[in-house]
């Protein structure tokens, strides 16, 4: 695989997965993901070159909106978020590997079933908007740089024919204005892709592949700081354009690898 084909550094694709451990399984789920699945089910695979886990303790869950989210029901569901970058142009090869290894992990009893996939999708990169232009970390550094927080935003266009216009408005107007002078260093924007037909049965097929945009805001400060001033009103701004609707705005902080920090603060 390495002797031919793309081998650049851009995050051409991403796996973004938001998961809710079942009540009573919080510690066992976290230990399984930290000690096994993050490596065997992701980072050890070809063409994944960066990854990071994020967590939403209960106080962060309660900041989410809108209440009638099409992504999370209830909107507080999905207290863990994992994000991975995949080398541009290597999506198909990676998918063959990930389906194979996850079938093997499941067969070998190395899959934790006390969890629900709230929002799990592979994505194609659509845009990155930077607060500071050419200064600072690039998007391929984003999962390794010690950012203090992340906000997941999911926006659905009013129809497939409106998604390109929505993306252009976000890229050229809304995101530059919101980033200016803020604690967010960059926003990466992705388009979801359908999961393969031979995916694991406990992962539902991706919704909104023709209409949805997934945004990741990388923050240099805790998302709790000035939350309303910085992230309030995102839904109203999108709705006013007539281009779409914000379906989820959800803040997270990074997990501390190898630990159970925050597990006792999820409920």
């Amino acid at each position: 695989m390495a002797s031919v084909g793309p081998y650049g550094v851009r995050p051409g694709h991403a796996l973004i997965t938001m998961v809710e451990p079942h009540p009573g399984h919080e510690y066992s789920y976290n230990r399984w993901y930290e000690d096994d699945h993050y490596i065997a089910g992701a980072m050890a695979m070809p063409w994944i070159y960066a990854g990071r886990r994020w967590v939403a303790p209960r106080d962060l869950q309660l900041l989410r909106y809108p209440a009638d989210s099409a992504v999370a029901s209830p909107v507080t569901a999905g207290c863990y978020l994992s994000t991975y970058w995949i080398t541009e142009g290597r999506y198909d090869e990676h998918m063959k590997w990930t389906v194979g290894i996850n079938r093997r992990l499941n067969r070998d009893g190395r899959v934790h079933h006390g969890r629900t996939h709230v929002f799990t999708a592979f994505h194609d990169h659509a845009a990155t908007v930077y607060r500071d232009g050419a200064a600072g970390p690039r998007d391929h550094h984003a999962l390794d740089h010690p950012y203090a927080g992340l906000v997941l935003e999911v926006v659905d266009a009013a129809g497939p024919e409106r998604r390109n216009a929505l993306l252009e408005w976000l890229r050229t107007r809304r995101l530059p204005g919101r980033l200016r002078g803020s604690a967010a260093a960059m926003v990466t924007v992705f388009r979801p892709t359908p999961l393969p037909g031979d995916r694991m049965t406990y992962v539902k097929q991706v919704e909104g592949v023709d209409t949805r945009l997934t945004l990741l805001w990388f923050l240099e400060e805790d998302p709790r700081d000035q939350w309303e001033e910085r992230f309030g009103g995102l839904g109203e701004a999108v709705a006013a354009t007539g281009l779409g609707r914000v379906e989820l705005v959800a803040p997270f902080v990074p997990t501390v690898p190898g630990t159970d920090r925050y597990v006792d603060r999820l409920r």
Side-chain angles (χ1 to χ4, degrees):
M1 291 191 298
S3 63
V4 295
Y7 66 127
V9 300
R10 294 189 65 249
H13 320 278
L15 170 59
I16 302 170
T17 174
M18 188 169 69
V19 172
E20 179 73 11
H22 296 171
H25 292 263
E26 295 84 358
Y27 280 94
S28 61
Y29 168 78
N30 187 60
R31 288 269 46 87
W32 165 74
Y33 208 104
E34 284 289 309
D35 296 341
D36 190 350
H37 199 62
Y38 178 79
I39 298 168
M43 294 301 295
M45 296 191 205
W47 308 117
I48 278 189
Y49 68 87
R52 195 153 194 193
R53 290 188 76 209
W54 312 82
V55 60
R58 187 61 179 174
D59 63 328
L60 287 183
Q61 297 169 32
L62 295 175
L63 296 177
R64 296 179 180 182
Y65 66 90
D68 59 343
S69 168
V71 175
S73 181
V75 71
T76 52
C79 54
Y80 281 105
L81 180 73
S82 296
T83 52
Y84 302 97
W85 289 168
I86 300 169
T87 302
E88 185 175 32
R90 295 294 191 172
Y91 174 77
D92 291 340
E93 292 173 353
H94 173 75
M95 284 305 300
K96 292 176 183 177
W97 190 285
T98 193
V99 169
I101 197 66
N102 276 285
R103 286 189 179 280
R104 181 180 177 186
L105 290 169
N106 196 63
R107 185 174 65 246
D108 293 347
R110 287 173 59 183
V111 173
H112 194 293
H113 292 288
R115 58 176 172 149
T116 297
H117 282 263
V118 178
F119 176 72
T120 294
F122 285 87
H123 292 74
D124 290 335
H125 180 260
T128 299
V129 181
Y130 297 100
R131 180 192 61 200
D132 302 324
R138 303 291 85 192
D139 51 13
H140 51 272
H141 302 129
L143 301 184
D144 297 312
H145 188 79
Y147 286 112
L150 177 139
V151 173
L152 168 69
E153 180 184 2
V154 180
V155 186
D156 280 343
E161 72 285 353
R162 308 301 296 276
R163 186 166 67 175
N164 285 341
L166 175 62
L167 173 61
E168 185 65 11
W169 176 78
L170 289 169
R171 187 183 66 82
T172 61
R173 299 187 61 182
R174 195 193 83 173
L175 295 180
R178 283 276 182 167
L179 286 170
R180 194 174 301 116
S182 78
M186 74 177 82
V187 182
T188 56
V189 187
F190 294 91
R191 292 182 288 257
T193 60
L195 289 169
D198 55 354
R199 70 191 184 280
M200 298 297 100
T201 56
Y202 48 79
V203 181
K204 67 179 181 179
Q205 186 54 270
V206 178
E207 300 171 343
V209 293
D210 296 324
T211 57
R212 185 160 288 176
L213 294 171
T214 302
L215 288 70
L216 300 177
W217 299 69
F218 291 91
L219 310 181
E220 295 175 329
E221 298 178 6
D222 191 298
R224 300 173 182 87
D225 297 339
Q226 301 178 15
W227 170 255
E228 188 57 37
E229 294 86 342
R230 290 174 175 162
F231 288 97
L234 296 184
E236 289 84 347
V238 172
T241 68
L243 294 172
R245 167 184 158 89
V246 169
E247 292 292 357
L248 182 66
V249 179
F252 294 84
V253 293
T255 62
V256 180
T259 76
D260 289 321
R261 187 176 297 185
Y262 303 113
V263 174
D264 60 348
R265 295 165 53 187
L266 300 179
R267 308 302 182 194

